[in-house]
Amino acid sequence: FSLFAPGLRNLSFGRSGPDGPGVRLSLPNGYETGAFGTNHLQSLDETHPPYNSRPASSGWHIGNTARWDIYDEPIPDERLVHNLEHGGIRVHYNCPDGCEELVDQLSRVTSRALEENLKVLLSPHSDMDTTIALVAWTFIDQFNEFDEDRILDFVRSHESSPNSPEPNAQ
């Protein structure tokens, strides 16, 4: 169930991750997933326990980041989590049947953020339950309809946040 409070989107009680019940605080700019570590992997092929969110918002990752850019191919969470560790934002879409108009809209808003020198990248991601997901270190916002203001609010609220382990890294 959810409780609504002034200034908060909602407070959800229930499963907060794969390990069972918990409290998930939903803020105007997404909900907090909880930190799942900063462990480094030697390669993308190395196995690790499952992440505590989909898409991953913290946890196991390789030691180099993806370039802040717009991609039309999926990038493994094991690479992108490092971008989050550096205070970056991931914008993802999941459209099994195609969504050219949505991708154009997300590309425009991502380009705008990149022009502002914000650490943002856009890529498809199939392992999510919604059409759109915004991901920062330990925060996610998920929804199905394009909302430019919501995206920009999330990016500006979480980009280079001191919540991330290395917010000033590029």
Side-chain angles (χ1 to χ4, degrees):
F1 68 91
S2 295
L3 298 174
F4 291 89
L8 297 178
R9 182 155 300 176
N10 61 44
L11 181 60
S12 302
F13 295 87
R15 284 183 63 85
S16 60
D19 297 322
V23 175
R24 182 174 78 185
L25 181 60
S26 296
L27 305 170
N29 301 98
Y31 65 84
E32 188 168 3
T33 62
F36 214 50
T38 59
N39 301 326
H40 281 171
L41 301 170
Q42 298 304 309
S43 73
L44 289 174
D45 298 328
E46 189 175 341
T47 60
H48 59 81
Y51 292 108
N52 69 344
S53 66
R54 294 184 350 228
S57 61
S58 65
W60 296 265
H61 60 277
I62 61 171
N64 57 347
T65 60
R67 187 178 70 249
W68 306 114
D69 208 344
I70 296 170
Y71 298 88
D72 56 7
E73 295 292 326
I75 303 169
D77 280 332
E78 289 80 4
R79 176 176 301 275
L80 294 179
V81 167
H82 201 141
N83 287 67
L84 302 179
E85 185 178 46
H86 287 192
I89 306 298
R90 298 162 47 185
V91 178
H92 293 300
Y93 57 92
N94 181 21
C95 305
D97 299 323
C99 55
E100 187 175 331
E101 181 180 348
L102 174 63
V103 173
D104 288 344
Q105 292 170 317
L106 293 172
S107 294
R108 280 194 300 276
V109 75
T110 302
S111 291
R112 183 173 164 192
L114 289 167
E115 288 169 5
E116 294 177 22
N117 293 314
L118 298 174
K119 297 181 283 192
V120 180
L121 62 80
L122 170 66
S123 70
H125 198 293
S126 62
D127 189 21
M128 47 192 242
D129 297 326
T130 57
T131 306
I132 301 166
L134 311 174
V135 188
W137 184 261
T138 71
F139 282 88
I140 294 181
D141 192 7
Q142 297 171 300
F143 46 102
N144 289 310
E145 301 296 325
F146 178 77
D147 184 334
E148 182 172 353
D149 291 336
R150 185 173 180 173
I151 294 167
L152 289 173
D153 285 348
F154 185 93
V155 170
R156 291 179 178 136
S157 295
H158 294 287
E159 194 269 353
S160 294
S161 165
N163 181 57
S164 61
E166 300 174 35
N168 298 316
Q170 290 296 317

